[in-house]
Amino acid sequence: MTTTAATGASLAVRGLGAGYNGLEVLRDITLDAQPGITVILGPNGAGKTTLLKALAGLLPRRGSVQLDGRDVPAGNATACVRSGMALVAEGRQLFAQMSVAENLELGGWLATPAERAERLAQAFADFPRLHERAQQLAGTMSGGEQQMVAVARAMMSHPRLLMLDEPSLGLAPRMVDELLAIAQRIAAQGVTVLMVEQNVRKALQIAQRGYVLERGRIVAADDAQALLRSDAVRRAYLGVA
Ligand code: ATP
């Protein structure tokens, strides 16, 4: 994958809190992500999706979020994209009745038409399968192909921080591997990848760092390899007695 994506950013989150209608879900989250892959693990309902949404400006939040030392304003999704963040939300959220190419073009909404055309050509070079199916309606693609469209669409904004919410959800094992390989390739270009993933072992194998979120709080933070070896993670997530 050769790309014109901008180089990765350092993300620094300090004392982040967020929730819904006055109900606090996340408390005092402190987290860093560097170029490479950082994975967020945790049981259902821990607040992983809430965290990515709060970072992407889709939910109000407290605390500070900085990209390369510059404050990212809270609760402002457009400002987050302008500052270099992109989120691939759980469930992909494609426009099912629009073509693959049209879905991708929408990801470049802040770019000039010339930049958009250049990025689309790059996306098709990076994802040949999407090139072959450029005119197919997104809603008729397989689950794995739809997830590729969602990732390629996010890359159209040239993010320095790409956030992926369970990219492999509902996919067959071979497709899971393909999606995780795509995340790895994107990270290898220098993009900072922050990923929520239920395939704990596979995710930690490709990540540099990991955080474990439980009931809205970070309960463990370490190198990915150390988390893979940790008794707590092995017991809770890897089914090791
Ligand atoms: P999963 O692995 O099941 O996707 P998660 O770790 O991503 O879980 P969240 O989706 O962030 O967890 O949910 C955290 C908490 O916030 C849960 O208790 C959930 O019920 C609650 N929650 C999520 N979305 C909303 C919402 N729109 N309104 C109210 N509460 C919500």
Side-chain angles (χ1 to χ4, degrees):
M1 197 182 279
T2 54
T3 188
T4 50
T7 47
S10 294
L11 171 74
V13 179
R14 297 290 176 270
L16 181 144
Y20 304 91
N21 307 319
L23 176 76
E24 193 170 55
V25 170
L26 297 175
R27 281 179 217 98
D28 199 23
I29 301 291
T30 285
L31 169 153
D32 291 280
Q34 307 294 337
I37 298 180
T38 300
V39 65
I40 301 169
L41 312 172
N44 290 124
K48 305 179 297 295
T49 295
T50 304
L51 175 57
L52 294 192
K53 282 187 176 167
L55 291 175
L58 298 172
L59 282 177
R61 63 159 170 82
R62 294 183 307 286
S64 105
V65 174
Q66 292 190 329
L67 265 191
D68 290 332
R70 297 178 67 159
D71 283 321
V72 179
N76 184 335
T78 304
C80 288
V81 174
R82 283 193 200 285
S83 70
M85 293 179 164
L87 170 66
V88 179
E90 199 175 354
R92 299 154 202 152
Q93 306 191 348
L94 299 180
F95 295 94
Q97 297 302 323
M98 292 171 72
S99 72
V100 169
E102 287 166 337
N103 269 276
L104 294 188
E105 279 173 353
L106 285 171
W109 56 289
L110 285 173
T112 64
E115 284 171 334
R116 197 153 49 235
E118 190 186 310
R119 291 179 193 179
L120 186 63
Q122 188 62 56
F124 284 148
D126 289 343
F127 296 89
R129 197 170 332 167
L130 301 187
H131 195 192
E132 287 162 20
R133 292 161 182 270
Q135 300 313 320
Q136 187 171 330
L137 294 185
T140 65
M141 307 276 281
S142 75
E145 289 166 349
Q146 290 193 25
Q147 190 60 263
M148 274 182 212
V149 176
V151 173
R153 182 177 64 181
M155 291 304 289
M156 287 285 292
S157 70
H158 263 203
R160 293 180 299 135
L161 172 71
L162 178 68
M163 295 183 278
L164 303 172
D165 195 353
E166 302 203 27
S168 71
L169 190 70
L171 302 183
R174 200 169 50 79
M175 210 62 211
V176 171
D177 292 342
E178 197 166 335
L179 259 300
L180 293 180
I182 287 170
Q184 258 183 311
R185 287 211 303 274
I186 290 171
Q189 296 162 11
V191 176
T192 302
V193 175
L194 182 63
M195 179 170 77
V196 169
E197 187 47 69
Q198 298 281 10
N199 285 284
V200 171
R201 190 186 301 274
K202 286 182 175 179
L204 285 174
Q205 279 167 347
I206 64 164
Q208 281 73 52
R209 197 166 169 76
Y211 289 85
V212 181
L213 194 59
E214 285 178 7
R215 278 175 262 118
R217 289 178 187 275
I218 302 283
V219 297
D222 212 332
D223 289 346
Q225 291 305 314
L227 286 177
L228 258 180
R229 289 191 303 265
S230 104
D231 286 343
V233 168
R234 285 157 65 88
R235 266 197 307 274
Y237 302 110
L238 299 176
V240 179

XYZ file of all heavy atoms in Angstrom, residues 162-229:
519
model
N -6.302 7.221 12.811
C -7.442 6.447 12.318
C -7.976 5.608 13.469
O -7.244 4.804 14.048
C -7.010 5.532 11.164
C -8.117 4.628 10.606
C -9.189 5.456 9.889
C -7.543 3.574 9.656
N -9.265 5.797 13.781
C -9.882 5.022 14.861
C -10.817 3.985 14.246
O -11.657 4.316 13.405
C -10.637 5.962 15.795
C -9.696 6.915 16.519
S -10.534 7.989 17.684
C -11.129 9.272 16.603
N -10.655 2.746 14.667
C -11.444 1.639 14.118
C -12.230 0.995 15.253
O -11.640 0.529 16.232
C -10.520 0.586 13.489
C -9.575 1.051 12.379
C -8.602 -0.073 12.010
C -10.379 1.470 11.153
N -13.555 0.959 15.114
C -14.382 0.336 16.157
C -14.794 -1.057 15.696
O -15.661 -1.203 14.833
C -15.615 1.193 16.449
C -16.293 0.779 17.751
O -15.886 -0.247 18.332
O -17.222 1.491 18.183
N -14.155 -2.053 16.257
C -14.426 -3.468 15.944
C -14.494 -3.735 14.437
O -15.532 -4.153 13.917
C -15.720 -3.915 16.632
C -15.615 -3.716 18.138
C -16.557 -4.601 18.922
O -16.901 -5.679 18.416
O -16.919 -4.216 20.036
N -13.366 -3.509 13.748
C -13.369 -3.676 12.286
C -13.712 -5.090 11.842
O -14.194 -5.275 10.734
C -11.942 -3.303 11.880
C -11.125 -3.422 13.115
C -12.044 -3.085 14.250
N -13.476 -6.085 12.711
C -13.687 -7.466 12.268
C -15.018 -8.036 12.732
O -15.281 -9.224 12.545
C -12.546 -8.349 12.770
O -12.663 -8.504 14.161
N -15.871 -7.179 13.304
C -17.136 -7.672 13.878
C -17.967 -8.417 12.829
O -18.262 -7.897 11.753
C -17.949 -6.497 14.413
C -19.169 -6.871 15.255
C -18.732 -7.455 16.597
C -20.055 -5.663 15.482
N -18.331 -9.657 13.164
C -19.222 -10.431 12.313
C -18.574 -11.015 11.071
O -19.275 -11.539 10.205
N -17.247 -10.904 10.955
C -16.593 -11.404 9.740
C -16.035 -12.816 9.947
O -15.687 -13.201 11.063
C -15.448 -10.468 9.329
C -15.825 -9.013 9.063
C -14.601 -8.238 8.602
C -16.939 -8.909 8.029
N -15.939 -13.566 8.849
C -15.339 -14.901 8.892
C -13.847 -14.764 9.194
O -13.248 -13.731 8.889
C -15.538 -15.583 7.541
N -13.244 -15.806 9.792
C -11.841 -15.705 10.244
C -10.862 -15.204 9.174
O -10.001 -14.374 9.467
C -11.512 -17.140 10.656
C -12.823 -17.732 11.056
C -13.864 -17.079 10.180
N -11.024 -15.657 7.941
C -10.087 -15.212 6.902
C -10.214 -13.712 6.646
O -9.250 -12.995 6.426
C -10.352 -15.996 5.615
C -9.195 -15.995 4.643
C -9.418 -16.997 3.530
N -10.745 -16.851 2.930
C -11.068 -15.923 2.036
N -10.162 -15.061 1.629
N -12.283 -15.848 1.545
N -11.460 -13.260 6.702
C -11.723 -11.825 6.496
C -11.219 -11.006 7.688
O -10.757 -9.875 7.516
C -13.238 -11.658 6.301
C -13.626 -10.532 5.427
S -12.993 -10.745 3.755
C -12.789 -9.047 3.330
N -11.334 -11.577 8.891
C -10.793 -10.900 10.081
C -9.304 -10.648 9.855
O -8.811 -9.530 10.047
C -10.992 -11.768 11.353
C -10.245 -11.163 12.541
C -12.469 -11.938 11.669
N -8.603 -11.692 9.405
C -7.163 -11.554 9.174
C -6.883 -10.488 8.119
O -5.944 -9.707 8.243
C -6.566 -12.893 8.723
C -6.601 -13.924 9.848
O -6.750 -13.512 11.012
O -6.500 -15.131 9.556
N -7.726 -10.458 7.076
C -7.506 -9.483 6.002
C -7.697 -8.048 6.532
O -6.903 -7.157 6.226
C -8.463 -9.776 4.844
C -8.035 -9.091 3.568
C -8.763 -9.617 2.336
O -9.231 -10.779 2.345
O -8.866 -8.841 1.363
N -8.752 -7.867 7.337
C -8.994 -6.521 7.884
C -7.872 -6.094 8.834
O -7.434 -4.941 8.807
C -10.349 -6.489 8.608
C -11.500 -5.857 7.844
C -11.205 -4.396 7.494
C -11.854 -6.600 6.569
N -7.385 -7.033 9.653
C -6.301 -6.679 10.568
C -5.015 -6.399 9.782
O -4.241 -5.517 10.151
C -6.092 -7.775 11.613
C -7.254 -7.933 12.607
C -6.962 -9.041 13.607
C -7.565 -6.631 13.347
N -4.835 -7.106 8.657
C -3.664 -6.840 7.805
C -3.771 -5.438 7.190
O -2.761 -4.737 7.040
C -3.550 -7.905 6.721
N -4.985 -5.040 6.853
C -5.181 -3.686 6.318
C -4.815 -2.653 7.388
O -4.120 -1.668 7.118
C -6.635 -3.513 5.826
C -6.829 -4.284 4.517
C -6.980 -2.027 5.646
C -8.277 -4.395 4.057
N -5.267 -2.892 8.628
C -4.922 -1.966 9.724
C -3.405 -1.889 9.874
O -2.839 -0.802 10.064
C -5.575 -2.431 11.027
N -2.740 -3.044 9.752
C -1.280 -3.069 9.862
C -0.613 -2.283 8.745
O 0.361 -1.568 8.964
C -0.792 -4.519 9.770
C -0.433 -5.123 11.095
C 0.102 -6.528 10.926
O -0.496 -7.360 10.244
N 1.224 -6.801 11.554
N -1.125 -2.437 7.532
C -0.534 -1.708 6.399
C -0.700 -0.203 6.582
O 0.212 0.569 6.303
C -1.208 -2.136 5.093
C -0.806 -3.529 4.630
C -0.835 -3.649 3.114
N -2.114 -3.322 2.507
C -3.125 -4.189 2.351
N -2.997 -5.434 2.788
N -4.244 -3.820 1.777
N -1.874 0.181 7.064
C -2.117 1.613 7.274
C -1.165 2.140 8.348
O -0.568 3.213 8.203
C -3.597 1.846 7.642
C -4.469 1.579 6.408
C -3.820 3.257 8.183
C -5.961 1.558 6.685
N -0.996 1.370 9.404
C -0.068 1.784 10.468
C 1.362 1.852 9.941
O 2.121 2.745 10.310
C -0.164 0.827 11.653
N 1.710 0.915 9.044
C 3.077 0.884 8.499
C 3.368 2.115 7.649
O 4.523 2.490 7.456
C 3.293 -0.388 7.692
N 2.307 2.757 7.153
C 2.502 4.008 6.403
C 2.817 5.164 7.345
O 3.079 6.270 6.909
C 1.228 4.406 5.657
C 0.780 3.463 4.598
C -0.676 3.724 4.241
O -1.277 4.727 4.644
N -1.257 2.814 3.496
N 2.673 4.938 8.646
C 2.942 5.990 9.611
C 1.698 6.566 10.249
O 1.782 7.478 11.068
N 0.529 6.052 9.886
C -0.715 6.543 10.498
C -0.843 5.929 11.890
O -0.486 4.778 12.107
C -1.937 6.154 9.628
C -3.235 6.558 10.282
C -1.808 6.789 8.245
N -1.316 6.732 12.828
C -1.581 6.225 14.168
C -2.945 5.551 14.160
O -3.936 6.178 13.781
C -1.559 7.391 15.174
O -0.282 8.016 15.078
C -1.808 6.930 16.593
N -2.977 4.275 14.551
C -4.233 3.520 14.533
C -4.641 3.226 15.975
O -3.847 2.688 16.754
C -4.084 2.201 13.731
C -5.360 1.367 13.824
C -3.745 2.495 12.270
N -5.864 3.596 16.325
C -6.433 3.298 17.644
C -7.649 2.424 17.390
O -8.592 2.844 16.717
C -6.832 4.608 18.345
C -7.408 4.477 19.753
C -6.388 3.883 20.719
C -7.863 5.856 20.261
N -7.602 1.187 17.904
C -8.559 0.189 17.461
C -9.209 -0.528 18.635
O -8.524 -0.999 19.539
C -7.772 -0.818 16.599
C -8.543 -1.949 16.042
S -7.546 -2.859 14.823
C -6.473 -3.788 15.890
N -10.543 -0.612 18.588
C -11.275 -1.475 19.510
C -11.448 -2.805 18.801
O -11.847 -2.838 17.637
C -12.664 -0.872 19.834
C -13.535 -1.888 20.572
C -12.515 0.414 20.639
N -11.120 -3.897 19.493
C -11.184 -5.189 18.798
C -11.491 -6.305 19.792
O -10.909 -6.369 20.867
C -9.843 -5.433 18.078
C -9.754 -6.621 17.191
C -10.912 -6.827 16.223
O -11.065 -6.035 15.285
O -11.683 -7.799 16.414
N -12.448 -7.159 19.405
C -12.829 -8.294 20.266
C -11.912 -9.492 20.062
O -11.872 -10.383 20.906
C -14.272 -8.729 19.958
C -15.328 -7.679 20.226
C -15.684 -7.558 21.703
O -15.013 -8.126 22.552
N -16.717 -6.791 21.990
N -11.234 -9.541 18.917
C -10.270 -10.620 18.684
C -8.980 -10.259 19.422
O -8.016 -9.764 18.826
C -10.000 -10.782 17.185
C -11.143 -11.458 16.480
O -11.330 -12.657 16.579
N -11.941 -10.654 15.786
N -9.011 -10.514 20.736
C -7.975 -9.973 21.616
C -6.584 -10.469 21.233
O -5.640 -9.687 21.120
C -8.322 -10.327 23.077
C -7.175 -9.976 24.007
C -9.600 -9.606 23.490
N -6.464 -11.773 21.021
C -5.134 -12.325 20.737
C -4.584 -11.758 19.426
O -3.458 -11.256 19.369
C -5.205 -13.849 20.657
C -3.840 -14.518 20.617
C -3.967 -16.009 20.383
N -4.765 -16.684 21.401
C -4.290 -17.134 22.560
N -3.022 -16.962 22.841
N -5.081 -17.739 23.419
N -5.412 -11.816 18.385
C -4.958 -11.313 17.082
C -4.638 -9.824 17.147
O -3.668 -9.359 16.548
C -6.032 -11.559 16.020
C -6.124 -13.001 15.602
C -7.162 -13.217 14.513
C -7.116 -14.672 14.046
N -8.104 -14.963 13.019
N -5.464 -9.081 17.868
C -5.246 -7.630 17.947
C -3.932 -7.332 18.674
O -3.137 -6.503 18.231
C -6.425 -6.958 18.644
N -3.713 -8.023 19.802
C -2.483 -7.757 20.564
C -1.246 -8.202 19.781
O -0.164 -7.637 19.960
C -2.536 -8.450 21.927
C -3.450 -7.778 22.959
C -3.534 -8.636 24.223
C -2.976 -6.361 23.316
N -1.420 -9.212 18.922
C -0.267 -9.677 18.133
C 0.200 -8.636 17.124
O 1.371 -8.606 16.764
C -0.605 -10.995 17.428
C -0.454 -12.185 18.376
C -1.073 -13.460 17.840
O -1.833 -13.434 16.875
N -0.771 -14.573 18.484
N -0.706 -7.785 16.671
C -0.280 -6.790 15.675
C -0.097 -5.399 16.275
O 0.381 -4.495 15.610
C -1.256 -6.707 14.473
C -2.636 -6.225 14.910
C -1.338 -8.041 13.738
C -3.502 -5.763 13.751
N -0.511 -5.239 17.552
C -0.437 -3.906 18.178
C 0.897 -3.708 18.886
O 1.612 -4.662 19.190
C -1.577 -3.751 19.176
N 1.212 -2.433 19.126
C 2.385 -2.114 19.936
C 1.977 -1.918 21.399
O 2.728 -2.210 22.306
C 3.067 -0.830 19.443
C 3.930 -1.033 18.218
C 3.095 -1.246 16.972
O 2.218 -0.460 16.685
N 3.346 -2.328 16.260
N 0.750 -1.388 21.589
C 0.341 -1.046 22.945
C -1.132 -1.370 23.116
O -1.888 -1.407 22.148
C 0.589 0.458 23.159
C 0.592 0.861 24.585
C 1.151 2.239 24.832
N 0.848 2.610 26.211
C 1.500 2.138 27.258
N 2.501 1.307 27.106
N 1.143 2.500 28.489
N -1.534 -1.629 24.357
C -2.937 -1.922 24.596
C -3.426 -1.336 25.906
O -2.637 -1.126 26.845
N -4.715 -1.047 25.929
C -5.390 -0.578 27.143
C -6.577 -1.486 27.394
O -7.249 -1.903 26.448
C -5.896 0.854 26.965
C -4.791 1.876 26.928
C -4.120 2.159 25.741
C -4.402 2.543 28.085
C -3.090 3.083 25.703
C -3.370 3.469 28.060
C -2.724 3.738 26.870
O -1.701 4.645 26.849
N -6.826 -1.776 28.667
C -8.013 -2.554 29.023
C -8.972 -1.620 29.752
O -8.597 -0.966 30.730
C -7.664 -3.757 29.919
C -8.938 -4.549 30.252
C -6.629 -4.654 29.237
N -10.193 -1.576 29.227
C -11.230 -0.711 29.779
C -12.266 -1.608 30.451
O -12.754 -2.568 29.839
C -11.861 0.057 28.608
C -12.737 1.251 28.864
C -11.985 2.336 29.617
C -13.230 1.818 27.524
N -12.576 -1.306 31.703
C -13.651 -2.036 32.390
C -14.517 -1.032 33.134
O -13.999 -0.166 33.842
C -13.076 -3.071 33.371
C -12.517 -4.297 32.660
C -11.892 -5.326 33.598
O -12.005 -5.157 34.835
O -11.273 -6.279 33.090
N -15.797 -1.152 32.954
C -16.775 -0.262 33.594
C -16.338 1.208 33.537
O -16.363 1.917 34.533
C -17.026 -0.706 35.043
C -18.034 -1.844 35.086
C -18.233 -2.408 36.470
N -17.430 -3.602 36.640
C -16.458 -3.750 37.526
N -16.160 -2.799 38.369
N -15.787 -4.859 37.588
N -15.908 1.610 32.350
C -15.647 3.031 32.131
C -14.307 3.533 32.613
O -14.038 4.734 32.559
N -13.453 2.618 33.086
C -12.131 3.044 33.555
C -11.040 2.193 32.917
O -11.248 1.007 32.670
C -12.004 2.875 35.073
C -12.831 3.850 35.867
C -12.648 3.557 37.346
N -13.542 4.363 38.157
C -13.271 5.599 38.551
N -12.128 6.168 38.230
N -14.141 6.277 39.265
N -9.867 2.807 32.741
C -8.708 2.041 32.279
C -8.181 1.236 33.470
O -7.830 1.813 34.506
C -7.586 2.987 31.775
C -8.076 3.885 30.640
C -6.344 2.173 31.374
C -8.185 3.265 29.297
N -8.136 -0.094 33.314
C -7.649 -0.927 34.421
C -6.278 -1.538 34.126
O -5.643 -2.084 35.018
C -8.658 -2.047 34.786
C -9.964 -1.444 35.292
C -8.917 -2.965 33.598
N -5.841 -1.476 32.872
C -4.489 -1.945 32.547
C -4.021 -1.219 31.300
O -4.812 -0.933 30.397
C -4.487 -3.453 32.309
N -2.732 -0.908 31.277
C -2.124 -0.245 30.114
C -0.707 -0.765 30.019
O 0.023 -0.732 31.010
C -2.116 1.260 30.313
N -0.334 -1.298 28.843
C 1.021 -1.864 28.750
C 1.380 -2.101 27.286
O 0.544 -1.937 26.398
C 1.078 -3.190 29.514
C 2.454 -3.428 30.131
O 3.458 -2.916 29.581
O 2.518 -4.135 31.150
N 2.622 -2.525 27.083
C 3.005 -2.993 25.748
C 2.099 -4.161 25.379
O 1.731 -4.969 26.243
C 4.443 -3.527 25.763
C 5.445 -2.418 25.916
O 5.048 -1.251 25.748
O 6.610 -2.721 26.217
N 1.790 -4.275 24.090
C 0.878 -5.333 23.655
C 1.426 -6.716 24.039
O 0.670 -7.579 24.492
C 0.666 -5.234 22.151
N 2.715 -6.911 23.884
C 3.300 -8.221 24.204
C 3.166 -8.538 25.689
O 2.907 -9.679 26.070
C 4.782 -8.255 23.793
C 4.994 -8.229 22.293
C 4.244 -9.350 21.576
O 4.284 -10.499 21.993
N 3.515 -9.004 20.526
N 3.330 -7.524 26.522
C 3.193 -7.733 27.969
C 1.740 -8.072 28.317
O 1.479 -8.939 29.159
C 3.659 -6.487 28.727
N 0.790 -7.414 27.653
C -0.623 -7.729 27.915
C -0.951 -9.155 27.480
O -1.712 -9.862 28.151
C -1.541 -6.730 27.201
C -1.616 -5.336 27.821
C -2.493 -4.425 26.969
C -2.151 -5.370 29.252
N -0.363 -9.572 26.356
C -0.594 -10.952 25.878
C -0.144 -11.970 26.912
O -0.713 -13.048 27.038
C 0.208 -11.188 24.586
C -0.522 -11.144 23.256
C 0.465 -11.401 22.126
C -1.669 -12.127 23.182
N 0.901 -11.610 27.669
C 1.446 -12.545 28.666
C 0.798 -12.363 30.034
O 0.991 -13.194 30.916
C 2.958 -12.310 28.807
C 3.789 -12.772 27.622
C 5.276 -12.759 27.957
N 5.709 -11.423 28.380
C 6.257 -10.527 27.560
N 6.442 -10.816 26.286
N 6.624 -9.343 28.007
